[in-house]
Amino acid sequence: MTHALASAGAAGCLVPDVPAVRVEAWAAAAAEAGISAPLLANREASRAELVATGRAATGFVYAPAVVGQRTGYSDGIDLDSLASFVATVRRAAPATLVVTGIGVSTPDLASAVVRQTGVAGVVVGSPLIRAFNEGGLSRAASLAAEFAAAVARPRVVKR
């Protein structure tokens, strides 16, 4: 699979549900194919599993912003809990960038997430898909620019 991805021009592949016992094998297969293998840090993972994930991940470690949700909007993000989890991931994987996503539904929230947790980036999907469905490519592109500006210069968020 990794060679097919590389042949198709992929730079990397995030597989969100690689079992902890397989992360090293997945990362090795990706490296052999010449693509990066970012990995998801499971909120329920042990310290040893987080260390293995951080050691094996290439590119970044993805720390989900909400617990128990795979994608989309959420009712809110507990920023204190996320900041604590990001700090735990950083201690386990100090040489690997940490990004977050899942439930980051607005540019203001993305700004708050970056400001409070210090993550290297925010992954946004569902809001962009929704904007595309409601207003086409120009609306999705406009919203993407709003998210980019928000994380580049975090703003004060009114809650």
Side-chain angles (χ1 to χ4, degrees):
M1 174 176 134
T2 54
H3 289 286
L5 288 168
S7 294
C13 180
L14 171 66
V15 179
D17 54 359
V18 177
V21 298
R22 304 284 300 154
V23 295
E24 289 181 21
W26 165 246
E32 181 184 319
I35 63 173
S36 66
L39 293 167
L40 184 127
N42 187 324
R43 288 267 190 140
E44 292 79 34
S46 68
R47 174 154 172 71
E49 290 171 331
L50 288 175
V51 168
T53 296
R55 187 175 297 131
T58 54
F60 60 88
V61 172
Y62 189 104
V66 294
V67 178
Q69 187 171 324
R70 292 288 203 186
T71 186
Y73 289 97
S74 70
D75 290 334
I77 296 174
D78 179 342
L79 292 176
D80 291 332
S81 173
L82 176 58
S84 176
F85 180 58
V86 167
T88 298
V89 172
R90 278 205 186 99
R91 282 190 298 276
T96 308
L97 294 175
V98 179
V99 303
T100 194
I102 303 177
V104 181
S105 55
T106 68
D108 283 340
L109 183 54
S111 175
V113 165
V114 169
R115 188 178 61 253
Q116 190 159 335
T117 67
V119 291
V122 177
V123 176
V124 179
S126 296
L128 297 177
I129 298 301
R130 181 173 286 167
F132 178 80
N133 287 338
E134 293 173 356
L137 185 57
S138 64
R139 177 61 191 124
S142 175
L143 184 58
E146 290 176 40
F147 271 101
V151 298
R153 295 180 313 276
R155 307 176 257 191
V156 174
V157 176
K158 296 177 187 174
R159 291 192 213 192

